[in-house]
Amino acid sequence: MSNGESGLSQQRQELLKRVLPAESVIERDAVRVGGAECRVRDGIVRFRDDDGYASSFALQWGRFQLEQYDSTNGTQLYGRRFARETGWPDHGLEGELILEAGCGAGAFSLHLLRTGANLVSFDYSSAVEVAAAHNPDGRAVFCQADILAMPFRDGAFDRVFCHGVLQHTPDPKASFMALCRVLRPGGRLSIDVYKRDWRIRPWKSKRLWRWLTVRMDQGNLLRFLEWFIPKWLPIDTALKSVPFFGNYLGAVVPCWNYFRRPELSKQQQRAWAIMDTFDALAPRYDIPASLGEVRSWFSEAGFKDFEVREGGNGVVGNGTKP
């Protein structure tokens, strides 16, 4: 997939100069950092060049490219979530530089750019191609990179945004610490991670099945869910509608269900159910963290001004780096 530009524009080259080590060489078709040459392909800087452990996300976001975009689905689900979980303004950040770690299909990239800031956004997998294609703004540079081996210099960014990502890395705490390294003193960090607790809830059903699904061919798993979910959804909806006991009845068969999201059409609810059930069952890593663990990450990183609370994806953390 191409974003319509094979190399880096002058504007994007200048943006990269602000975040890469001083000795880096940045050209239209290649970037050299620390003696390693990284090619620019389809306008994306390839600090890594394969899908690795995140291959399921390359498949997922290639199949479900625009489902999460508010501008396409006719809702404000992601815009409201961005505002609620970051507390950042939706405009007025001109001159600031934001890092988006783990962009997926780019649904949040759109909202980050609307703040007026410049954006450097990356994903571990080739899913970044989808984000770049649908966010062609010249104020954004898209890269394929590893959160645990980011090429950016220390303190390069005014804000760091990482939502929907940490639990899918090999080491969520190490990934968090890596984000803190590239944030400037006084900069704002916003993260989330799946929550670890012992309550029985419908989304815990994946724990019964992931031993099997992570070993399946990902294409076959997706095709099975595309066949199975539309047939199971009416039953799942009835089970989860039972007062109190719905949390338990719906905690056996994995099915992400959006019947309580009336702003989504029935067709959209089916697509999101397939998309997010695959998202739960396919990734190699799914490592949640407790509220206490995330608070300890912020404290260990030296944050004094921070808040950790329950959020839509599990645990949300926001803080200002001292």
Side-chain angles (χ1 to χ4, degrees), residues 30-308:
V31 174
R32 284 182 285 279
V33 182
E37 181 171 283
C38 307
R39 305 303 300 175
V40 177
R41 191 173 77 249
D42 296 330
I44 297 165
V45 186
R46 310 287 177 155
F47 294 111
R48 55 172 290 107
D49 205 24
D50 63 79
D51 292 327
Y53 66 75
S55 58
S56 68
F57 292 106
L59 175 61
Q60 177 178 333
W61 299 126
R63 165 66 177 82
F64 301 100
Q65 293 191 16
L66 294 173
E67 269 73 11
Q68 293 180 325
Y69 278 68
D70 290 349
S71 55
T72 299
N73 61 40
T75 75
Q76 288 297 317
L77 289 174
Y78 267 67
R80 290 197 298 265
R81 179 179 164 189
F82 173 76
R84 180 176 64 249
E85 297 190 356
T86 66
W88 297 357
D90 59 5
H91 65 281
L93 298 185
E94 288 79 5
E96 291 199 18
L97 189 51
I98 297 176
L99 173 67
E100 180 184 23
C103 57
F108 278 125
S109 308
L110 180 68
H111 294 286
L112 291 166
L113 283 166
R114 284 179 174 170
T115 66
N118 294 302
L119 178 67
V120 176
S121 182
F122 74 85
D123 201 89
Y124 188 89
S125 80
S126 56
V128 68
E129 297 169 7
V130 178
H134 297 299
N135 291 278
D137 194 303
R139 291 181 293 111
V141 175
F142 287 91
C143 311
Q144 190 171 350
D146 183 350
I147 195 171
L148 292 171
M150 291 182 289
F152 312 119
R153 61 177 176 80
D154 294 357
F157 296 94
D158 299 296
R159 296 174 188 259
V160 172
F161 176 89
C162 184
H163 283 237
V165 175
L166 292 178
Q167 62 271 349
H168 297 308
T169 68
D171 189 333
K173 178 182 176 181
S175 298
F176 173 89
M177 294 300 176
L179 297 175
C180 296
R181 177 186 67 80
V182 300
L183 181 65
R184 69 166 175 81
R188 295 287 296 171
L189 173 66
S190 183
I191 62 99
D192 75 358
V193 64
Y194 290 166
K195 184 184 177 186
R196 179 187 292 116
D197 61 30
W198 301 106
R199 291 181 294 179
I200 297 176
R201 292 293 184 268
W203 56 86
K204 303 289 184 65
S205 59
K206 63 183 176 181
R207 303 295 174 198
L208 300 176
W209 298 97
R210 277 182 50 80
W211 66 271
L212 171 64
T213 57
V214 296
R215 293 171 171 81
M216 292 177 62
D217 176 85
Q218 293 168 351
N220 288 340
L221 175 60
L222 180 56
R223 283 187 287 273
F224 170 75
L225 293 175
E226 288 176 325
W227 169 82
F228 171 73
I229 292 296
K231 294 175 172 57
W232 177 252
L233 262 179
I235 300 170
D236 189 75
T237 299
L239 291 174
K240 290 175 179 172
S241 297
V242 177
F244 180 74
F245 292 104
N247 276 329
Y248 302 91
L249 296 173
V252 177
V253 178
C255 181
W256 266 239
N257 195 327
Y258 293 93
F259 70 97
R260 293 191 177 93
R261 291 286 189 184
E263 61 266 58
L264 294 172
S265 68
K266 293 297 184 183
Q267 181 179 358
Q268 288 171 328
Q269 289 176 6
R270 285 193 296 272
W272 280 49
I274 296 166
M275 173 181 69
D276 283 347
T277 305
F278 181 78
D279 187 281
L281 296 176
R284 181 182 303 180
Y285 298 108
D286 187 311
I287 307 173
S290 68
L291 285 163
E293 285 177 289
V294 178
R295 290 189 183 106
S296 74
W297 298 351
F298 276 92
S299 295
E300 188 174 329
F303 283 74
K304 305 298 183 185
D305 177 15
F306 70 89
E307 177 194 34
V308 174

